[in-house]
Amino acid sequence: MFDYESLKLIWWLIIGILLIGFAVTDGMDMGVGGLLPFVAKDDTERRVVINTIAAHWDGNQVWFITVGASLFAAWPMVYATAFSGFYFAMMLTLFCLFLRPLGFDYRSKIDSPTWRYNWDKALFVGSMVPSLVFGVAFGNLLQGVPFSFDEFMRVTYTGSFLALFNPFALISGVVSVSMMLMHGATWLSMRTDEHVAARSAKAAQIFSAVLVVSFSLAGLMIATSIDGFIIQNTIDPLALAQPTTTKVVVTATGAWLNNFNAHPILWLLPTTGIVMAVIAGLLARFKPGGLAFTASALSIAGVILTMGFSMFPFIMPSSSMPNHSLTLWDAVSSEKTLNIMLIVVVVFLPIILCYTAWCYKKMWRTVTREEIEDNNYTSY
């Protein structure tokens, strides 16, 4: 179908699109879970909030699973190295994610305010901790991860779990959390009525401002104090995976901005992330909130694409052995594997998009307090 070089680029784009799909859909669910204790003041209002995503949250998890499967199949070295370097962080994320299906399914099994309140706290933890850890992980990628390979391509990680939570990574975590909360708030502002919608609109304004400030601060740090990675030699884009022998990598402060300086049109990406966040906050107060939600989704896309294009062609740089850094050119599966996977994506991704759109269309409504009270035993 395509030559090896094109397939490598195509799969870099596909995984980027899948990450955006995950952040827009499942990120919305996490944002709603994170807002649950703040925009809802009693059990009925919390049930209103939960029922806006009750029909969609498990379907949205498909994006998360698809991202993991794509990493495993397209970039196996990245997958293996990430699980070595971020093992405890990933285990923390997975165990917190376990709380989400349990919380949704069990909170209304017993008609007890205490029982439901405790499960609501579980939903909050299961939403916010993964959002924070995802941001921290991407912040560490931008700084480089301390790993290296031996002659048998066995990876050695020399960092620690606590070292992941450094200042820049924590700022990246704030970017991630505020992004999810802003997105969840714009969703609630158009799917609920009266008091919950009003509180959600205020939350959208607050967290859109937090996103703009934290994202701008992260960009300033990247420009002035964070070392980026540069490939000094020419890499054969048609070569097989040989991440330890084919490149010479050096680091320099502000190097992550090189792609933007070489191609000024890329500055539209961070601009989109900031401008659309501002627009989302401003529009959230208006009913219906579809424009605010769209602006929020575009802001998320702008933030993720900013990171992707700043690191290009790096996927997982190594701070301890820069020459062992993993890039989209030398850390991928075989040409045959990428071709087969591309066929699978061309067939199944439209199916996922179609049934997801159908579900949202069929379940679309404003969830009200009266609906919950009238359907006490059928709603979450």
Side-chain angles (χ1 to χ4, degrees):
M1 293 177 61
F2 295 96
D3 61 57
Y4 203 16
E5 178 182 5
S6 299
L7 284 169
K8 292 176 180 181
L9 284 169
I10 288 170
W11 271 102
W12 180 79
L13 290 170
I14 288 175
I15 292 178
I17 292 170
L18 293 176
L19 283 172
I20 293 172
F22 165 67
V24 170
T25 57
D26 213 27
M28 172 195 73
D29 297 343
M30 291 181 182
V32 170
L35 292 168
L36 185 60
F38 307 107
V39 300
K41 299 304 181 182
D42 57 35
D43 181 65
T44 301
E45 287 189 347
R46 286 194 290 272
R47 296 179 74 185
V48 167
V49 169
I50 290 173
N51 274 271
T52 63
I53 58 173
H56 309 295
W57 72 267
D58 50 352
N60 292 340
Q61 293 282 101
V62 170
W63 292 95
F64 181 61
I65 296 169
T66 305
V67 170
S70 298
L71 284 175
F72 174 76
W75 297 337
M77 292 184 186
V78 175
Y79 185 90
T81 306
F83 266 88
S84 295
F86 300 146
Y87 183 81
F88 289 107
M90 287 186 175
M91 289 298 103
L92 174 63
T93 300
L94 289 175
F95 279 110
C96 288
L97 287 174
F98 292 160
L99 297 174
R100 283 159 52 80
L102 292 173
F104 284 120
D105 289 340
Y106 282 97
R107 76 175 306 276
S108 292
K109 296 297 184 184
I110 298 177
D111 190 10
S112 164
T114 302
W115 172 269
R116 287 176 171 172
Y117 181 68
N118 286 331
W119 280 116
D120 290 340
K121 289 192 290 186
L123 285 173
F124 173 79
V125 172
S127 298
M128 286 295 92
V129 172
S131 298
L132 175 63
V133 173
F134 290 148
V136 167
F138 282 112
N140 278 279
L141 286 179
L142 284 164
Q143 297 174 93
V145 182
F147 70 88
S148 61
F149 297 98
D150 63 16
E151 65 271 22
F152 302 108
M153 291 305 298
R154 294 176 300 190
V155 65
T156 298
Y157 175 71
T158 56
S160 66
F161 174 70
L162 293 179
L164 296 175
F165 296 90
N166 54 75
F168 178 76
L170 289 174
I171 291 174
S172 299
V174 172
V175 172
S176 177
V177 170
S178 59
M179 190 167 65
M180 302 304 183
L181 290 173
M182 174 191 69
H183 199 47
T186 59
W187 171 260
L188 289 174
S189 69
M190 69 175 177
R191 289 296 309 275
T192 60
D193 65 348
E194 297 185 307
H195 303 298
V196 175
R199 296 186 201 111
S200 299
K202 291 181 180 179
Q205 295 167 21
I206 293 171
F207 289 111
S208 64
V210 174
L211 173 59
V212 169
V213 172
S214 58
F215 185 51
S216 300
L217 179 58
L220 179 63
M221 292 180 70
I222 286 174
T224 60
S225 61
I226 301 298
D227 285 345
F229 291 71
I230 307 168
I231 300 176
Q232 287 194 317
N233 62 321
T234 301
I235 295 180
D236 181 6
L238 298 176
L240 298 176
Q242 293 178 326
T244 64
T245 61
T246 59
K247 59 186 178 294
V248 177
V249 179
V250 297
T251 61
T253 301
W256 285 139
L257 299 181
N258 287 353
N259 288 336
F260 292 88
N261 295 329
H263 306 282
I265 193 173
L266 293 179
W267 286 106
L268 289 175
L269 299 176
T271 302
T272 298
I274 292 173
V275 171
M276 287 301 163
V278 173
I279 292 174
L282 294 175
L283 294 180
R285 69 182 69 179
F286 301 108
K287 275 284 193 177
L291 290 177
F293 183 77
T294 301
S296 177
L298 290 173
S299 176
I300 290 173
V303 170
I304 293 175
L305 289 172
T306 296
M307 177 185 170
F309 278 96
S310 66
M311 290 182 64
F312 183 91
F314 290 93
I315 303 169
M316 194 171 184
S318 170
S319 57
S320 59
M321 192 70 71
N323 289 351
H324 290 193
S325 297
L326 301 176
T327 74
L328 68 92
W329 304 122
D330 57 20
V332 296
S333 294
S334 67
E335 182 176 358
K336 183 176 182 180
T337 299
L338 297 182
N339 264 314
I340 294 173
M341 289 172 55
L342 183 59
I343 295 172
V344 173
V345 167
V346 169
V347 173
F348 285 99
L349 186 58
I351 295 175
I352 294 174
L353 292 172
C354 287
Y355 77 64
T356 299
W358 182 85
C359 288
Y360 276 94
K361 179 180 179 181
K362 298 300 290 186
M363 302 292 180
W364 191 265
R365 70 189 188 285
T366 298
V367 182
T368 65
R369 188 182 186 95
E370 291 73 21
E371 176 188 337
I372 300 301
E373 293 172 341
D374 292 342
N375 299 276
N376 188 51
Y377 297 103
T378 58
S379 57
Y380 280 77

